[in-house]
Amino acid sequence: MSIVGTRAARAAAGGAGLALAVLSAATFSTSGTFASALNGAGWSPGAAVLVRVSVAALILTVPAVIQLRGRWALLRRNARAVAAYGLLAVAAPQVCFFNAVARIPVGVALLLEYLGVVLVVGWLWLRYGQRPRRLTVGGGAVAIAGLAMVLDLAGPGRINAVGVVWALLGAFGLASFFLLSAGGEREPLPPIVMAWAGMCFATACLAAVGGTGLLPITAGAGSVRLLGHQVSWIVPVLGLSLLAAVISYVAGIGAARRLGAKLVSFVSLSEMLFAILFAWLLLGQLPSAIQFLGGAFILGGVAMVRLDELRPSRAPAGPARPPAQQPELASSQAGGR
């Protein structure tokens, strides 16, 4: 293939990756609306997480089995990656986030959780020698500052040490999501299969923890209030599972494999922008001036990291895509990755 053809192919892959990353962030941001509707009807956070993951796994079963026909050995060879993804990238971040927001303000929990973006950069530096250049460091600082403005952390709130620890553990889970999504295996599973297998494993883990009583599981079959209307509990469950799990996780894996864990983790910060946008359009919650400014900072930081990615790299070559759920409709409506 000619140099021009190679560049065109890379540009196309990069464009598709960015589109998938934005789609993943947008769909992840809807989880707060659906989860808060269930919580308001008496569902425990653990029940919302369990139903989100288990129903998503059920939805993905048929397409995953179709993709695996004749290639079940591939699933066995990736068993460790699947177990790590299900435990660290799916189950752990959600459990940690819910435990954090039970003790500290949601905005603080989200900011601490999104330090996972910094952990991704640090891991790629330590593990693969990909030392961040000034443009990436500057973009990271600008994006994190923008996230703090979007979350509007100036309001009063208590800080609990245990809650901070849970949020920081959630940051490790979020970093795991990006790193494990990017793959790196010699024969990686297709994104749909990876998401399905990981969610099946996460469902088993969550059910086991719930059975011990460490993760309270309480649910109801009555109607719930969603966007000002009384609807069946099935509606938010389907939204939480299809939009905020199936589409978001599959798109996130596809994006990470095209762009790498670092860039995708920074693009994921746009999740909060979609949360603010949806809160504005659906709930009439007009963003403040500082939130608009924070949004500009996030986009500017992502652009800086993207420009740095396009520059020739002087770092030692690692794997083609080193191994790489939130946050929600407004900081008052958190559901977690």
Side-chain angles (χ1 to χ4, degrees):
M1 182 182 292
S2 66
I3 295 179
V4 175
T6 301
R7 289 178 177 176
R10 289 178 179 175
L18 283 173
L20 287 172
V22 171
L23 175 62
S24 179
T27 49
F28 264 128
S29 73
T30 65
S31 60
T33 297
F34 300 121
S36 62
L38 293 174
N39 293 339
W43 287 56
S44 67
V49 172
L50 181 58
V51 76
R52 172 188 186 181
V53 175
S54 59
V55 174
L58 183 62
I59 293 173
L60 285 170
T61 297
V62 172
V65 169
I66 291 175
Q67 286 201 340
L68 277 175
R69 281 188 305 181
R71 297 194 299 166
W72 290 97
L74 181 61
L75 182 60
R76 290 194 297 271
R77 287 194 293 270
N78 283 274
R80 290 185 179 180
V82 167
Y85 185 82
L87 182 60
L88 299 177
V90 179
Q94 298 185 60
V95 172
C96 291
F97 183 78
F98 280 130
N99 277 282
V101 298
R103 295 170 174 84
I104 60 177
V106 172
V108 175
L110 286 173
L111 184 62
L112 291 173
E113 185 184 42
Y114 265 95
L115 290 178
V117 173
V118 179
L119 295 179
V120 169
V121 175
W123 172 257
L124 294 177
W125 183 4
L126 294 175
R127 179 65 178 84
Y128 298 104
Q130 297 180 8
R131 182 176 181 176
R133 293 178 292 197
R134 291 181 180 179
L135 196 57
T136 288
V137 174
V142 169
I144 294 296
L147 179 63
M149 286 185 279
V150 167
L151 294 175
D152 194 10
L153 302 180
R158 69 191 189 283
I159 298 298
N160 178 285
V162 176
V164 170
V165 171
W166 277 114
L168 291 176
L169 290 174
F172 280 98
L174 186 63
S176 299
F177 168 78
F178 298 122
L179 290 166
L180 293 172
S181 293
E185 302 84 6
R186 181 171 300 178
E187 295 180 276
L189 290 169
I192 288 178
V193 177
M194 185 66 174
W196 166 73
M199 287 179 184
C200 288
F201 188 82
T203 298
C205 293
L206 291 168
V209 175
T212 65
L214 295 176
L215 183 67
I217 305 293
T218 304
S223 62
V224 302
R225 190 166 184 82
L226 179 65
L227 299 179
H229 301 281
Q230 290 294 129
V231 299
S232 168
W233 62 273
I234 297 176
V235 175
V237 163
L238 288 178
L240 196 62
S241 303
L242 182 58
L243 285 177
V246 170
I247 296 177
S248 53
Y249 277 95
V250 172
I253 294 172
R257 291 184 180 178
R258 288 169 173 81
L259 301 177
K262 181 173 69 176
L263 181 55
V264 166
S265 67
F266 278 95
V267 175
S268 74
L269 295 176
S270 65
E271 182 175 334
M272 291 310 304
L273 303 184
F274 284 107
I276 296 296
L277 176 63
F278 291 149
W280 182 9
L281 296 177
L282 301 178
L283 305 176
Q285 298 176 1
L286 182 66
S288 65
I290 193 69
Q291 288 177 316
F292 275 118
L293 181 61
F297 269 59
I298 290 176
L299 294 178
V302 171
M304 292 170 68
V305 175
R306 177 57 174 165
L307 287 174
D308 202 18
E309 288 279 299
L310 294 175
R311 294 168 59 192
S313 176
R314 293 174 295 179
R321 282 287 173 257
Q325 186 243 52
Q326 258 253 346
E328 329 310 330
L329 249 191
S331 43
S332 62
Q333 301 179 15
R337 279 189 187 250

